[in-house]
Amino acid sequence: MPPNSRTPVWKSIALALTDDIARGRYQTGSKLPSEAQLSAQFGVNRHTVRRALGDLADQGLVHARRGAGVFVAAAPTDYPIGKRVRFRKSLRAAGREPSGKLLAITSRGADAKEAEALDLAIGDLIYASDGLSFADGQPVTVAQSCFPAARFQGFEEVHRKTQSVTETFAHFGIADYTRAWTRLTAVAASATQALHLMLPEGAPLLRSVSVNVDADGVPIEYGTTYFAGPRITLTLAAEDV
């Protein structure tokens, strides 16, 4: 390692290969360069490359075939960002089986950003729901969504039962809702995000901050979602450009 480097070289190589897979440079089932080729590419010994590949295998991104090499185990799932974002419907359309895990629901006062997004006063009561989403059993997002408590009295009980934002909204008489706006940013995974998403700390994530509104344009959900970069490719339909 260079004297001032804070990231182990093997981890840097793992992140570079993870990014290559996320960008589609290596498709599902395709073979990665050999250890010798990667050693030459990154200017390191084979032991360092082997540790990086082992990290990718631990994430479920690659698998080794004895005597044949290392192959990509999973390609990123296309996930559309548009006016009507429905997680489970979108993943099923991509041929993946969706599931979710509710981590926590808390009631608290809205901070400045949450209040502005939901058209509330700072300190107004909201429900904050934290959860994980999975595609084929593999974690793909960790998220927090905030809902105005005055609009959704009894939200916690209903949401724990439905485990679905769409079904929870339906319970409160909201048959349809649309995305008012979305902001996307590339970030590095924190220690807790990496733990939830089964990625190395510092792995690339896509952060989506968004607001959903009801049929009258009233904000009903303010959410921040972190997508596992190696496992999700966000797409935008032509009509939403």
Side-chain angles (χ1 to χ4, degrees):
M1 290 175 58
N4 295 324
S5 176
R6 295 183 178 181
T7 303
V9 174
W10 69 265
K11 190 170 186 178
S12 296
I13 296 171
L15 289 174
L17 293 174
T18 296
D19 184 62
D20 284 341
I21 294 172
R23 292 173 182 268
R25 293 169 180 164
Y26 299 106
Q27 300 295 325
T28 300
S30 64
K31 183 180 177 181
L32 294 182
S34 67
E35 288 184 3
Q37 290 172 318
L38 291 173
S39 295
Q41 177 183 341
F42 291 103
V44 298
N45 59 42
R46 290 196 181 191
H47 175 75
T48 301
V49 167
R50 199 169 295 131
R51 187 170 182 185
L53 293 174
D55 182 68
L56 296 188
D58 289 341
Q59 297 178 51
L61 294 177
V62 302
H63 61 91
R65 297 178 190 169
R66 185 181 297 274
V70 176
F71 297 81
V72 177
T77 300
D78 283 347
Y79 185 82
I81 295 293
K83 292 181 179 179
R84 284 180 172 80
V85 178
R86 306 291 188 266
F87 176 79
R88 298 188 182 194
K89 182 178 179 181
S90 297
L91 284 192
R92 288 194 178 104
R96 303 295 177 95
E97 181 58 35
S99 59
K101 178 182 180 182
L102 183 62
L103 298 175
I105 299 179
T106 57
S107 57
R108 56 173 175 78
D111 65 23
K113 287 185 178 180
E114 294 160 348
E116 180 182 7
L118 293 171
D119 197 17
L120 302 173
I122 296 175
D124 279 357
L125 192 64
I126 62 172
Y127 290 106
S129 172
D130 294 272
L132 281 171
S133 295
F134 302 82
D136 294 337
Q138 191 173 50
V140 291
T141 75
V142 59
Q144 180 178 91
S145 290
C146 300
F147 308 86
R151 178 78 178 265
F152 300 107
Q153 294 187 27
F155 174 89
E156 182 173 355
E157 181 180 355
V158 174
H159 195 54
R160 286 190 184 279
K161 182 178 180 180
T162 66
Q163 300 276 309
S164 163
V165 170
T166 299
E167 292 180 22
T168 297
F169 282 160
H171 174 89
F172 288 99
I174 300 173
D176 189 27
Y177 61 98
T178 56
R179 182 64 53 90
W181 54 261
T182 301
R183 297 190 181 106
L184 298 174
T185 311
V187 297
S190 68
T192 54
Q193 291 165 346
L195 181 65
H196 281 309
L197 294 171
M198 299 175 64
L199 293 170
E201 185 177 353
L205 304 180
L206 291 171
R207 179 178 62 197
S208 167
V209 181
S210 60
V211 167
N212 287 327
V213 297
D214 65 14
D216 296 319
V218 178
I220 55 176
E221 179 185 7
Y222 171 69
T224 303
T225 301
Y226 294 88
F227 292 87
R231 301 174 191 148
I232 289 287
T233 298
L234 300 182
T235 63
L236 191 64
E239 60 268 22
D240 295 315
V241 174

